Amino acid sequence: MRMLCSLDFSTGFLWSTLRMSIRTPPTLLQLAAESLLRDQASAIAALEYLPAELFPQLFTLAFHSRQHQVLKAMTQTWPFTVLPLGSLKQPLPVQVLKAVLDGLDLLLAQEVRPRRCKLRVLDLRDRDSDFWRMWCGDSTQKRSPTGPVAVHRSSPNMEHPLAPVEVFLDLNFNEGDREEFLMYVIQWAQQREGLVHLCCKTLWIATVPFHRVRKVLDVVQLDCIQELVLNCTCDLTTLEMFAFYMGQMKNLQRLFLSHIHVLVEEEQDWGEEGEQDWEEEEEQEREEQELQISFSQFFSQMLSPLHLCELDLDSPSFLQGHLDQLLGCLQTPLEKLTITNCQSLTHSDLTHLFQCPNLRQLKSLRLYCASLADFSPEPLRALLEAVAPTLQVLGLDNCAMVDSQVEAILPVLSCCHQLSFFTISQNRLSLATVGKLLRHTAGLRSLELELYPVPQECYTTQGTVKQERLALVRAELTGILRELGKTRMILLAAKHRGHREVYAVPL
């Protein structure tokens, strides 16, 4: 026994040692780049003659080894149209950024571009670019010596001409001290007006003081911004002030409003009898009127000039009773609408939502945690009928829907022939209604993903799923699928104690 234990230990130690010693051998490109970087002067002198395929590997090695003079020289001879610097690391090291910008300065100062250099775009954004992976990692991917990344183009609606070099930068205020980095790049671009066009297409604002955001917004071209993500707590004065800047975002296409909490004056104290006197009631009515006027000014200033294609609202409690004002400001038909955690919206809000004329060409409609209990299904049915030719994604999860509401939309649902993604989970539906859904969606040939609720018959009085009953229900649904003669992947979702369990219906 002792001998066997010793043998097992020796064998395990041997395999562990082998695993530690076996490494993926470096590629020839990597070895060549490492050899060049042993002498910076030689590496810089050789840039004029190096094949383009070696540049990404050499750049990443110089980046990680902090050889800033090499980075500066490589920027001047970059043989691709785009240098996706931001996808290498976030936040970018200051010295690396300065080295690249210094190289770009020397490039811009030349009347005639170097023969090798094709650089047109410096991309400082944090994007999932496959540029570095393609050239430095997976050798099986196809490569183009002229530039694997497409050249970016500014919006055709912009009045300013396309500058010789574009610099792309995300305005992201979700990170600490981010505005210092942003201001450095912005001021650098301003000092080179006519040679550099700074393009900020995305603006993210979380819970940061507005004055820190404002000093950046005052010095960038807001007509470049195409995507805005806003998540903050502020008073109406600040919100109206921000609306002024939004009014200048002429090319905004995607708007995400998340967990916005609007601060208002504290409510008046109640008297001993639980009633307010007449003066307090009049004061409250006056404040409500002022609040209504403030919201009207906010929406008219914020959205009237915009042409959105995507609107995403998460926990839009501040829109309660005002959703019609938001929708009324839309100038063009939306393609995507997502509203989550929207229990605070009233039936009047939902009616205005479903009847909005600019939702008649939707490709994606997602409602999650909407309060459709006791809500007439007719407005939703009419909307689905209007978007049937274009709708590709439909999500109606956790909307407190019941059998009668779902049955009312079944005929029009079967006409949504472009639908590829359909979820209606976490609603209180019977087995009979789930079966009807399967039959009405059977003719939708584009449908790839279907998520239905576990039928109510499967739950105990405590809200847990009875596994024996669920097995019978899954078998019954399998029978329906076989009867329809179509192979489909059907998923059933159950929510219990804050987590969701998903079950597949066997084919």
Side-chain angles (χ1 to χ4, degrees), residues 108-131:
L108 294 172
Q110 301 181 42
E111 295 183 0
V112 180
R113 275 182 175 265
R115 178 183 61 85
R116 296 290 308 275
C117 185
K118 294 182 174 64
L119 183 61
R120 291 293 182 271
V121 173
L122 174 61
D123 198 338
L124 302 178
R125 301 174 298 177
D126 184 10
R127 290 291 186 269
D128 293 329
S129 171
D130 62 353
F131 177 91

Side-chain angles (χ1 to χ4, degrees), residues 458-469:
C458 296
Y459 288 94
T460 66
T461 55
Q462 291 77 27
T464 59
V465 176
K466 295 183 288 187
Q467 295 298 325
E468 299 83 359
R469 177 58 178 157

Side-chain angles (χ1 to χ4, degrees), residues 52 58 125 400 420 479:
L58 187 64
R125 301 174 298 177
S420 61

